[in-house]
Amino acid sequence: MAATLEAQFRTAIHLLLEQYGSLTTTEIKDKIGEIVDFTEDDLKPRESRNGEAWYKQTIGNVISHGPKNAVFDVKNIYQVDKTKSPAVFTLLQGIGPTVSPILHDNIESRRTATRKFQPKKTDWNALQDDHGSIGLSGEEFVTEYERDRVALDSKDDALRVEHLSQTLGDGAGYDVLSLDTTDGSTIYIEVKTTTGNKNTPFYMTENERAYFELHHNDSKLFLYRVYDFDRISGTGEIEKISASELMDKSKFRFDSVNYKVFKL
């Protein structure tokens, strides 16, 4: 496959920062493989950069496209400090005029306790296969719904809503990164879509289930159940289910119905 796009790496950096809070350029280049499954082109050496892998050059472009020796924000999602060498990327939090880099204690808590789940790398073939599915249409509907909701409080911050699964696949355990407009913190959303009513059973991968089980007490993690979905208009109704509610055995039951089979 072709090399991963700069826009995809920007989203991957966002996902890394959700886990680590703040990283230098060097650390991002070292850790980005936790998020992105590199293509052959990503790993090709770039002769003009002393043999540096192509993906490292692309990550460097995120920095080079900003002003020199300055501190700047990328889509109000994270800050890049180019006054330091290597440059430092830090997640932003807040909304409107209160947007600012997260505090040191927040960074430490992210690194040690809050996000122990390890995302699976992108399955590019599966991602391509999913582009025409009702699932993708439902995710797009929720993404626009969240952008409109956030825009009511701050139009600039609506750009912080990310359709993560479209850019990087579904290995993170959720599909959309959105924003709690009361405090500017991140909301993590898994989307499940059906043309039937809201009582229609839906499917989750083991990766998705495991993420919700691990973070069942996370007040910022939700499953958005899109039902009565109209394929033509691309709209439907939304039921918001918290992680704790989804994991409540008196409310939802998980049945194993799928197996991944390997030829020996």
Side-chain angles (χ1 to χ4, degrees):
M1 293 184 64
T4 304
L5 300 175
E6 182 179 332
Q8 292 173 310
F9 276 122
R10 282 199 298 270
T11 302
I13 291 170
H14 182 187
L15 186 53
L16 274 180
L17 293 176
E18 289 291 343
Q19 296 176 55
Y20 294 99
S22 183
L23 293 168
T24 67
T25 308
T26 302
E27 290 172 326
I28 287 172
K29 290 179 179 180
D30 289 341
K31 294 179 179 295
I32 203 74
E34 297 175 11
I35 307 297
V36 177
D37 194 6
F38 298 127
T39 68
E40 289 184 6
D41 285 347
D42 285 333
L43 298 174
K44 288 181 179 178
R46 189 77 183 269
E47 293 183 4
S48 61
R49 292 296 183 93
N50 297 318
E52 182 181 53
W54 189 277
Y55 80 88
K56 293 184 178 181
Q57 156 106 30
T58 307
I59 293 172
N61 289 343
V62 176
I63 303 170
S64 64
H65 290 166
K68 295 181 179 180
N69 299 318
V71 180
F72 62 93
D73 295 347
V74 177
K75 293 173 62 177
N76 267 16
I77 296 173
Y78 52 84
Q79 180 187 87
V80 182
D81 185 351
K82 290 178 65 175
T83 66
K84 298 178 180 178
S85 183
V88 177
F89 290 64
T90 304
L91 190 68
L92 296 173
Q93 188 166 322
I95 189 165
T98 70
V99 170
S100 60
I102 62 174
L103 300 177
H104 177 74
D105 288 348
N106 192 314
I107 293 172
E108 289 302 311
S109 65
R110 285 172 185 268
R111 292 189 173 196
T112 58
T114 61
R115 301 281 164 213
K116 295 180 181 179
F117 177 81
Q118 287 296 316
K120 292 184 179 178
K121 296 179 183 179
T122 302
D123 183 340
W124 294 107
N125 291 328
L127 178 59
Q128 294 298 325
D129 291 343
D130 190 53
H131 274 186
S133 72
I134 187 175
L136 179 62
S137 298
E139 291 169 15
E140 291 172 343
F141 168 59
V142 168
T143 301
E144 290 306 312
Y145 170 88
E146 285 296 296
R147 284 175 179 159
D148 289 343
R149 179 185 62 79
V150 173
L152 292 175
D153 289 289
S154 175
K155 290 183 179 180
D156 289 341
D157 289 305
L159 297 174
R160 294 164 66 182
V161 178
E162 294 256 16
H163 186 180
L164 184 65
S165 63
Q166 187 177 34
T167 308
L168 293 174
D170 61 0
Y174 43 86
D175 300 311
V176 178
L177 289 172
S178 189
L179 192 66
D180 185 337
T181 56
T182 61
D183 61 8
S185 60
T186 302
I187 294 177
Y188 307 85
I189 302 170
E190 174 65 23
V191 182
K192 295 298 176 184
T193 306
T194 180
T195 56
N197 61 45
K198 67 178 180 180
N199 295 319
T200 304
F202 57 91
Y203 295 89
M204 295 185 72
T205 66
E206 173 57 23
N207 191 56
E208 294 163 349
R209 187 207 62 78
Y211 187 84
F212 272 78
E213 183 175 48
L214 182 62
H215 299 290
H216 64 277
N217 288 323
D218 190 338
S219 63
K220 304 296 185 180
L221 176 62
F222 295 89
L223 186 143
Y224 277 28
R225 183 76 177 105
V226 179
Y227 61 96
D228 290 338
F229 188 74
D230 187 321
R231 293 174 181 268
I232 298 176
S233 66
T235 59
E237 301 296 325
I238 297 176
E239 178 187 18
K240 301 178 183 179
I241 304 170
S242 68
S244 60
E245 184 180 3
L246 183 65
M247 292 292 107
D248 186 338
K249 293 182 180 179
S250 70
K251 297 181 179 180
F252 292 92
R253 185 182 79 243
F254 287 78
D255 289 341
S256 297
V257 295
N258 293 314
Y259 294 89
K260 188 172 185 179
V261 181
F262 295 87
K263 184 177 180 180
L264 299 177

